[in-house]
Amino acid sequence: MRLLHTSDWHLGRAFHRVNMLGAQAEFIGHLVTAVREHAVDAVVVSGDVYDRAVPPLAAVELFDDALHRLADLGVPTVMISGNHDSARRLGVGAGLIGRAGIHLRTEPAAGATPVVLADEHGDVAFYGLPYLEPALVKEEFGVEKAGHEAVLAAAMERVRADLATRARGTRSVVLAHAFVTGGEASDSERDITVGGVAAVPAGVFDGVDYTALGHLHGCQTITERVRYSGSPLAYSFSEADHRKTMWLVDLDAHGAVTAERIDCPVPRPLARMRGPLEDLLADPDLTRHEDAWVEATLTDAVRPADPMARLTERFPHTLSLVFEPERAPDDPDVSYARRLAGRSDQEIAEDFVAHVRGAGPDEREQAVLRNAFDAVRADEAVREVAR
């Protein structure tokens, strides 16, 4: 059986205020063409269909168009909700849409009820595990501690239990939206850290033939059977070096996996450049970036006059301007933002305690801070579901 694995469309998202709906529509057309030209048997979409819980009307219309075009192909599609989606909204009409061959899986309790498709070698069971917010689903899965590993492990136990009841030789595919150990993050994913732990081990998915992951925006192979497709478009300059693709996956009669990447259309290349303004304006090696979306980091000791206007004369698609004068790390003028770069909310809070008290928090106090951050995250998730 041949699968096309994609995820993280983020319909409705902009790129530094640039409307991306046109590029997203082009991707949908490319997806439909790839399904037809590569004789795909099933499409899997591993979450974050939309960029936010209440998407703009234009994004909903684009999604509706995608559903119609996929249904017209007569190729089954399985989709799950991600952490950016409102599971309840995305799942509206799922039963009716399913009759057209588009199978939406947004309810955690239904994760072990597969979509079963068949080829000449027998059945393939597709299990859709939507994004599982631990604080909201821990009771459903009967776990004591609200963590991503615990709830995903419990969900996978249900999957394996169902798979064990099926005919011998039934192959299996799991769709999941999570941060799996070994994956490389970018700046454009929303943090899903719980209890100070973001990642779950790939071994959670043992026992199935292929795991189609969503959440991380770079295309990645965690193991031969566990892969991220990545987002089809770049949504931050941290993705400047990404090759945006989908996975074309073949499952043979025994569940062995072979996979190749299919490139996605690039609306405009990304470029990151760094240095003094005059150097950036004069460097002949940067000519290749003159038609790119540009993030420029200026290292001048003194902020130059009219830097954006001067940059856009040479690089008309400059979208981001950062000012970072070259200084020693212990220079008191090093920006607060630079000192915090790469640090988690928990680490920042612990540093603050150490700054005002003279000593960092002990284990009990660290637990209080961690529980407070988790409570805020859970409250935000509940509010988003209720909207």
Side-chain angles (χ1 to χ4, degrees), residues 72-257:
D72 287 345
L73 292 172
V75 175
T77 298
V78 184
M79 293 184 174
I80 61 172
S81 50
N83 61 299
H84 280 251
D85 299 308
S86 166
R88 291 175 64 185
R89 282 186 171 82
L90 188 64
V92 169
L96 185 61
I97 295 170
R99 297 181 187 179
I102 310 293
H103 305 280
L104 297 171
R105 291 294 184 262
T106 63
E107 293 292 335
T113 302
V115 176
V116 180
L117 306 177
D119 62 11
E120 64 270 26
H121 304 298
D123 288 345
V124 180
F126 290 77
Y127 297 91
L129 304 182
Y131 171 67
L132 303 174
E133 177 62 47
L136 301 183
V137 302
K138 65 176 184 177
E139 293 183 3
E140 163 65 33
F141 291 105
V143 298
E144 294 182 2
K145 186 176 180 180
H148 286 292
E149 182 176 354
V151 296
L152 265 175
M156 283 301 301
E157 284 300 317
R158 293 185 182 184
V159 167
R160 284 186 280 266
D162 179 86
L163 190 57
T165 68
R166 300 195 173 269
R168 183 179 178 84
T170 297
R171 289 156 292 162
S172 54
V173 175
V174 165
L175 289 72
H177 197 86
F179 189 166
V180 174
T181 303
E184 183 177 345
S186 62
D187 292 344
S188 54
E189 300 113 4
R190 182 182 295 170
D191 179 34
I192 58 171
T193 301
V194 173
V197 179
V200 299
V204 164
F205 301 104
D206 286 351
V208 298
D209 294 309
Y210 184 71
T211 299
L213 293 174
H215 179 58
L216 298 184
H217 287 185
C219 182
Q220 300 171 61
T221 300
I222 305 301
T223 72
E224 286 303 305
R225 296 186 181 275
V226 180
R227 299 171 188 259
Y228 283 99
S229 68
S231 61
L233 296 166
Y235 292 114
S236 73
F237 278 101
S238 66
E239 300 168 56
D241 295 329
H242 286 190
R243 175 187 165 198
K244 294 301 185 181
T245 59
M246 301 177 285
W247 282 114
L248 188 66
V249 178
D250 285 304
L251 284 181
D252 73 7
H254 307 290
V257 172

